[in-house]
Amino acid sequence: IRALASILKYSQHYDITAYETKVISGQYGFIAQLNYPRHLKERPAEFRVEKVYQMGQEEVLFQFEASEDCEVQFHLSAPFDVENSPSVVSINVSPIKYGHVLLIPRVLECLLQRIDCVSFLLALYTAAGAGNPHFRLGYNSLGAFATINHLHFQASYMALPFPIQKAPTRKIITSGGCVKISELFNYPVRGLVFEGGNSLQDLSNTVSDACVCLQENNIPYNVLIVDCGKRIFLFPQRYA
């Protein structure tokens, strides 16, 4: 993934490293980045796709099947059925941050933008495999800034810690798999924090169960995976 980040500037619509990033003074140290070309050069929704699925009265177009070959850089070899259902890491040609890539679980299955236990475990394996605390993954549900209804995670590098990583927390409970669940405390954004567990599987199951619960109750949400997959933030939202 680190090697992939080094070639992004030759494959994307603009060079993200040419624009300034700064920490805003104040209590929280929010990070601001100038990225004005993105709204002008972001690739529009694809219509040249091979499959169109009918769901009720809505057509669902699967964009990632139409990605250019040069955008898909490699298949992940975590403990999943890679040969029959490959999960790929693809260049984001309209990046937000340095090294911005997309993790697309089981790309040929044309999964909708809904987390399940298998896809979330893949995201944690990806974070752990990168082995770099500056590499983080995120997920936006529909209604929480996801624009494509095809399952994908966002990932990128940033040398600075996100302000949310330094936010105070207050413990709520410890799950049966020894996963510690806390809430953000004295912070302008509400959310849950998951960490620990007897295994990566335990941590993944606990977080994915919470995500599935939100999905079933039609509540949009965002996820941030940090610390090489050892800590996960979950932010329930209102529809954006």
Side-chain angles (χ1 to χ4, degrees):
I1 293 175
R2 186 75 180 189
L4 172 59
S6 68
I7 65 171
L8 281 174
K9 67 186 299 182
Y10 302 108
S11 306
Q12 61 199 23
H13 292 158
Y14 49 87
D15 179 8
I16 195 63
T17 63
Y19 303 99
E20 184 179 4
T21 298
K22 64 170 59 177
V23 177
I24 300 175
S25 60
Q27 179 181 355
Y28 301 108
F30 292 126
I31 300 169
Q33 181 185 79
L34 176 66
N35 191 354
Y36 71 86
R38 191 170 195 270
H39 76 284
L40 298 174
K41 298 185 178 182
E42 183 178 12
R43 182 173 61 187
E46 293 282 358
F47 292 96
R48 50 185 182 82
V49 294
E50 298 178 5
K51 297 181 181 179
V52 177
Y53 287 73
Q54 194 76 24
M55 296 190 63
Q57 300 301 315
E58 297 182 0
E59 289 186 340
V60 179
L61 304 178
F62 292 98
Q63 175 162 345
F64 295 129
E65 282 198 331
S67 296
E68 301 291 344
D69 290 341
C70 63
E71 293 175 25
V72 177
Q73 294 301 304
F74 56 83
H75 293 180
L76 294 171
S77 58
F80 301 95
D81 187 358
V82 175
E83 181 177 351
N84 296 318
S85 187
S87 297
V88 303
V89 172
S90 176
I91 288 174
N92 189 330
V93 295
S94 299
I96 295 176
K97 298 184 289 295
Y98 172 74
H100 192 177
V101 295
L102 302 176
L103 169 64
I104 309 169
R106 292 137 55 204
V107 64
L108 298 181
E109 295 183 29
C110 298
L111 301 172
L112 300 180
Q113 184 70 346
R114 295 172 65 88
I115 280 179
D116 56 56
C117 60
V118 177
S119 63
F120 198 77
L121 183 58
L122 174 68
L124 292 194
Y125 270 113
T126 303
N132 187 321
H134 301 315
F135 180 75
R136 306 173 183 91
L137 286 95
Y139 172 89
N140 300 323
S141 78
L142 295 176
F145 303 107
T147 57
I148 299 170
N149 195 10
H150 188 164
L151 183 58
H152 64 290
F153 294 82
Q154 312 275 348
S156 65
Y157 283 93
M158 179 174 283
L160 297 170
F162 287 171
I164 197 73
Q165 293 181 252
K166 300 179 288 184
T169 61
R170 180 166 52 194
K171 181 179 176 181
I172 299 175
I173 195 173
T174 299
S175 73
C178 295
V179 175
K180 177 184 173 184
I181 306 174
S182 306
E183 62 178 342
L184 295 172
F185 180 66
N186 284 339
Y187 198 72
V189 175
R190 299 180 66 181
L192 299 174
V193 187
F194 301 79
E195 53 193 322
N198 294 323
S199 66
L200 205 62
Q201 180 80 65
D202 287 331
L203 181 58
S204 175
N205 287 345
T206 302
V207 180
S208 62
D209 283 350
C211 294
V212 169
C213 179
L214 292 174
Q215 290 166 176
E216 291 179 346
N217 287 278
N218 202 30
I219 300 174
Y221 64 93
N222 307 102
V223 175
L224 177 64
I225 301 171
V226 303
D227 298 341
C228 300
K230 297 176 182 177
R231 198 173 189 219
I232 298 102
F233 294 85
L234 174 61
F235 307 100
Q237 304 283 6
R238 295 184 178 181
Y239 275 97

